[in-house]
Structures are given as C-alpha cells and as structure tokens.
Amino acid sequence: MPENTRTTRTRRTLWRRTLAAGVVLAATGSILAASPHPAEAALPTQTIADPVHYWNDVLQGVFRKVGGGPVPMARAAAMMNGAIYDAESSYQLKWKGRMTSEAYIHAEAYAGWVEGPDEEERVIGRTAYNILLNLYGVNRPNKNAPDFTAYLDQRFKDRFGTAPTSGDLLDITIVSGMVNQMMNARAGDGSENTTSYTGDNKPGSWRPTGNYPDMADAKCQSDGDAVNPVWGQVKPFSLSSGSQFRPTTLTQYGTYENLVASPEYKAQVAAVRNAGAAAPTAATPVINRTADQYNAAWFWANDNDETYKPPGHMLQATREVSKARGLSTYANARLFALVSLALADTGIAVRDAKFSTPIDLWRPVSAIREGGLDPQWKPLLKNNAGVNVNPCFPAYVSGHASFGAAWAGVMKRYFGTDNIAFDLTTDEPLAPVKQRHFTSFSAAAKEDADSRIWLGVHYPWDATDGLILGDKVAGQVFTTKLRTL
C-alpha cells in the first residue's frame, strides 16, 4: 500500500535526523543515552478520556456522514480497531514488558530509549488516523466516494492540538508498520467488487420495494439498487468463509414455490403483518404491538443515513458498557477489536445468507401486497422524509439480529458472564425513548432482533436465525483471535 502522502516528507526528514544522530554517536563512541523525544505540549482538555473510545467516536462520525450499507462500515471498524489493538499491544510490550493477549497480526517492541510524553495516546491516535485516512480520506480506494480528510484532520487536531502532518518519530518506529500490515492484510479481500444484483423474479424472491406509489423510495427502485450484494464473498477476518455458519432454514424448502406454499411461511407472514404494520388498514384492522415494543422498534432502528447504522450502535454499546465497568485503555483496545472483528465477519456471513443461497427472500411488504393479503399494508420503518421504506436487500437473515448477537456473544465471553446490567442509548432520531435498560447482553440482542419484526421489515425466522448466526461468529472470533496469553 502507498504510504500516507500527507506525512511522507516529514517522516523522511525525521528519519534523516535519526540516522544523523546515530552517526554522531558511533563516531564519538559516546555511551550517553540519546536524548528522548522532545517534550510536546500537553494534550487539550478532553471530553472523551480513553483514546480507544475517542477514535471509535471519530469513526461513528464518519458512519453518519458516509451513508450506505452497514457491512463496509463493520469492515472499517475491524481494520481500525484491529490496528489500534496491535499498536497498543506493541506499546505494552515495549514499555510495560509484556502482552496479556496475542496480537491480531503482529506486535513488536519498537525502537526507543525513553518513553515519550503521551506515547500511548500518540501510538493509538496516529495509527487510527492513518487507517481512517486510507479508508475514508485522501488515500481512500474509491476516489468517487466522499473525502473525509478535513473531518479527520480536525478530529486529530482536537485530540492533539497539532495538525496530523506535524512530525512524530513514532510514525517511523511503530505507526507505519501497524498501518501497513493491516492495509496489506486486507488488500484484494473482495471488498472492491461492485457487481450488481439480478433478482430471481419469482413469488417469494426479493424485489425492490421503492416502486409502490405510496412508498416511493428513489434508493430502491431496481435490482441494481440492492446494497452490497457480493459482500458475502469478501474474505473474513476470522471465519474460513462467509458461508462457514450459513443458516439452512430456507434452503430446506428447495424452491420458492415450495417455500410460499408452506404453512410455516404463511405463519411467518401473518406474524409480521400483525406486529409490524405502520397503521391499521381495512384488511389489517388490528396491530398486535405494545407501546414498549413500538419504542424498542425505533430504539434499535438506525437504518437511515445520518445515523451510525447497526455497527456504529454496537460500538456505542461497547463504549457504554466499557465506561461503566472502568476498563483500561489496553482492555478497551482488545474488547473493541474483538467486537469489531465479530461485527465484520457477521456482516459478511449475513450477506452470504441474503444473496448466495437458493432463496433470496422478499421483504414482508412484498409478501403481504404481492400475496394479495393487504394492498395498503406498510411497515413501520420510515426514512428521513417520513416515507415508509424497507432496507434495500433480501430479508433473510436479519443483519440487526446477527450484529446484536455477535456483540452480545463477544461481551458475555469477554466478561465471563451474560448477566450484567447496563443502559444503552441510540442515535435514531425517530426513537421516542433514547435510553433503555437491560439485565443481560443476550436480552439486548434478543430485543434488537425482535425489533425488526415490530418495525415491519423482517419475519420471525430472520431474527431467530440471525441470533444463532451472530453468536456462532462471536464464538469463532473469541476462541481463535486475541486469545489470552
């Protein structure tokens, strides 16, 4: 991968100075310790104390601005937090003498004589900034995508009080290695594939839902609008493939014809029709959804652009639990890396289930309207303009359910118990209640999964099988990556 072009000149200057100092020491035969890194100004006053929390907050800010599907966001989180973790592990190895858990790719006791001021903060921050610069800034692979360099530069300056182009020897001794090894590890992983989707055009098969006159959605009017249809083929971070834990509930029917004729399918449609409608209609006069279920449906939504989407919600949940439990920076680096790796691989596995199996299941609104049950039925979900809409990809399995279960699966394994009480908040502007209380990680994941039925965009089996899938991915990540030494 090309080096960050915005700091290359400064790094070369620093490197020449370092070599020159080495030549002087060799020529004089001095045994005096080399001068430590020049003292820097104290960090500006911070509202977010932990650097891992801070840079995840920066990433969430990108999510709100960039829009699009959740799976590329989860990949970005895994890359940034994986690199932060390896950088922090290197800092621990260098200055604390040991690591307590294995590196994701590689950690090393980098060169240095004396620990510099705020060195842990600088190692983490400069690593995170450069990863994000490669994903969303001046070095982003897709030059047609928005450039967030100015935003990243400002957040860096907010943290350090200096521009990111100011020199730091750590760029040479450790940061560039951590950034490059992550970028190289993910190069050619299939995420650049932009192949569009072609539907099966059969009853039961997914079709765009934005063509109904009373549900017009310019983002979902053709098969080609399907979001990230080939991301099930992206190389995972821990799984052997996106299909490793592929759910089989729908494949047992073999064909769309068998599926839509089955009593199980009809029961699934009836369940979401009665629980997920936006409002009563002549054909569906009663909605079986409580006020609390309505609140939960919107609490977990975060479907629309300008929110941090499900991966961002799970990062926020991790931060809130972490802050309440008083985790150290090193512990946070490992926890956020584990969560992010699980989210990324879950996203890939969900896309495999949605697009790479014989049945790409249509959304409930299609089943209800095209199936002749209720031509006026709409899901509760709305976009920012107040129009009832659906996510623009097949229903099975639920990404929210899977992401929630992956998060809960990592959290309960990390803390050694599921039974921890905590409060979570949401980014969703339409949520009537902005904070909810949970008594276990699994309870939060279950509510996240059920909320998709109450929102009218998923069937019960999308939620149930998503919970199973996410927990399997979490188990794989936790038992194979970043293991305790």
Side-chain angles (χ1 to χ4, degrees), residues 249-265:
T249 296
L250 297 190
T251 57
Q252 66 181 314
Y253 295 99
T255 66
Y256 289 107
E257 292 79 9
N258 290 339
L259 172 68
V260 299
S262 69
E264 294 86 1
Y265 165 82

Side-chain angles (χ1 to χ4, degrees), residues 69-75 300 309-315 317-318 339-351 354 393 397-411 441 444-445 448-449 462-463 465-471 473-474:
V71 189
M73 296 178 181
R75 174 182 179 267
W300 291 104
K309 302 292 179 75
H313 201 178
M314 294 300 94
L315 294 177
T318 307
V339 166
S340 298
L341 294 171
L343 293 177
D345 277 6
T346 296
I348 293 168
V350 167
R351 277 305 188 271
K354 287 182 181 293
F393 37 82
V397 290
S398 165
H400 278 69
S402 303
F403 284 131
W407 173 80
V410 168
M411 298 297 280
F441 300 121
D448 189 359
D462 301 345
D465 288 1
L467 288 171
I468 296 170
L469 174 61
D471 188 65
V473 174

Side-chain angles (χ1 to χ4, degrees), residues 37 39 78 93 98 127 133 202 220 249 268 277-278 359 379 388 394 413 417 443 467-468:
H37 187 82
L93 188 61
R98 65 187 291 264
T127 297
L133 198 71
K202 295 180 179 180
C220 195
T249 296
Q268 294 282 317
I359 294 177
N388 299 89
R413 290 172 173 87
T417 179
L467 288 171
I468 296 170

Side-chain angles (χ1 to χ4, degrees), residues 447-469:
E447 184 180 272
D448 189 359
D450 290 343
S451 75
R452 306 306 283 172
I453 305 163
W454 305 327
L455 207 60
V457 295
H458 277 287
Y459 309 92
W461 55 24
D462 301 345
T464 300
D465 288 1
L467 288 171
I468 296 170
L469 174 61

Side-chain angles (χ1 to χ4, degrees), residues 13-35 111 113 169:
T13 300
L14 281 168
W15 186 240
R16 285 196 294 268
R17 291 174 182 171
T18 302
L19 290 176
V23 170
V24 170
L25 287 171
T28 61
S30 173
I31 58 174
L32 298 176
S35 299
W113 298 280
L169 188 60

